[in-house]
């Protein structure tokens, strides 16, 4: 499944029991989360008799090298590279969606795979588990960490937040902890090598020959 099923959750950190919703069926932003809600319903209810075991896991902003180019950290990495190159001295102007106060909780791929292995090995039948970390960080701070990897300071340039954007998202992972999970990679430690990978492999991204555009990055 996905953390997108929570949309704008009623409580943060958010546990697995909160109601799921599609606030506006006409907003394409909600189509992804809506599809995950449908598949959860089918899996859990068909799973009453159709499967020996069904377990749902909801990832929360997994990051790591070679994990696609449309997520916020890869986009920030390449935008920071271009902005640093264009600004030899002083703070680096860095456009973002919104004012930077939105928060997310990013989990390193190594921690995520450990959490998923625990769900596969020990997860209960028809149970749901958040896989993430409770280290909540603002998008402004994320931008500072990414630009800081280049040895520079950032000057945030706020933009318009997309309709339906979620101001906060952070999972309650108490249920996964009861299976033995504990995240080990702090964002400040894990993000640097990931930024390095995306910068070093920028020629592999789709449309790499096209000049980079200054646009907002998608947030889960």
């Amino acid at each position: 499944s996905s953390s997108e099923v929570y949309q704008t959750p009623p409580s943060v950190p958010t546990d697995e029991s909160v109601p799921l919703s599609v606030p506006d069926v006409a907003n394409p932003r909600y189509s992804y989360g809506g599809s995950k809600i449908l598949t959860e319903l089918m899996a859990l209810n068909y799973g009453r008799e159709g499967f020996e075991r069904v377990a749902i896991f909801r990832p929360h902003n997994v990051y790591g090298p070679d994990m696609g180019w449309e997520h916020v950290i890869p986009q920030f990495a390449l935008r920071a590279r271009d902005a640093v190159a264009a600004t030899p001295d002083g703070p680096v102007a860095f456009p973002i969606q919104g004012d930077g106060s939105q928060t997310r909780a990013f989990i390193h791929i190594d921690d995520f795979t450990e959490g998923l292995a625990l769900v596969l090995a020990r997860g209960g039948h028809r149970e749901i588990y958040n896989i993430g970390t409770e280290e909540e960080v603002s998008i402004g701070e994320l931008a500072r960490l990414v630009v800081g990897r280049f040895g520079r300071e950032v000057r945030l340039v706020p933009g318009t937040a997309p309709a339906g954007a979620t101001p906060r998202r952070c999972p309650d992972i108490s249920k996964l902890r009861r299976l033995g999970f504990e995240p080990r990679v702090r964002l400040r430690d894990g993000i640097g090598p990931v930024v390095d990978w995306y910068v070093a492999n920028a020629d592999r991204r789709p449309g790499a020959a096209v000049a980079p555009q200054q646009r907002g990055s998608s947030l889960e």
Side-chain angles (χ1 to χ4, degrees), residues 13 60-61 63 104-108 111 130-136 169-173 176-177 181-187:
H60 282 66
N61 291 92
Y63 74 99
R104 297 294 184 270
F106 295 89
I107 182 169
H108 191 274
D111 283 336
N130 288 331
I131 303 182
T133 173
E134 293 172 345
E135 182 190 3
E136 190 175 1
R169 185 172 290 139
C170 179
D172 182 330
I173 57 172
L176 189 59
R177 279 194 167 106
F181 178 71
E182 191 62 45
R184 294 175 294 175
V185 183
R186 297 291 302 274
L187 181 63

Side-chain angles (χ1 to χ4, degrees), residues 23 26 55 82 92 96 99 120 145 169 182 187 193 202 210 214 217 219:
D82 297 337
V92 176
I96 58 171
D99 61 5
L120 293 173
L145 288 172
R169 185 172 290 139
E182 191 62 45
L187 181 63
V210 179
Q214 297 296 321
S217 301
L219 285 174

Side-chain angles (χ1 to χ4, degrees), residues 119-182:
V119 171
L120 293 173
R122 305 176 187 174
H125 180 46
R126 299 182 68 248
E127 294 289 341
I128 303 170
Y129 300 90
N130 288 331
I131 303 182
T133 173
E134 293 172 345
E135 182 190 3
E136 190 175 1
V137 62
S138 72
I139 298 308
E141 179 60 24
L142 179 69
R144 293 184 183 92
L145 288 172
V146 172
V147 174
R149 186 64 177 179
F150 296 85
R152 303 290 295 277
E153 294 184 359
V154 70
R155 178 172 63 81
L156 298 178
V157 180
T160 302
T166 300
R168 290 183 68 194
R169 185 172 290 139
C170 179
D172 182 330
I173 57 172
S174 301
K175 194 171 180 180
L176 189 59
R177 279 194 167 106
R178 290 195 287 271
L179 299 184
F181 178 71
E182 191 62 45

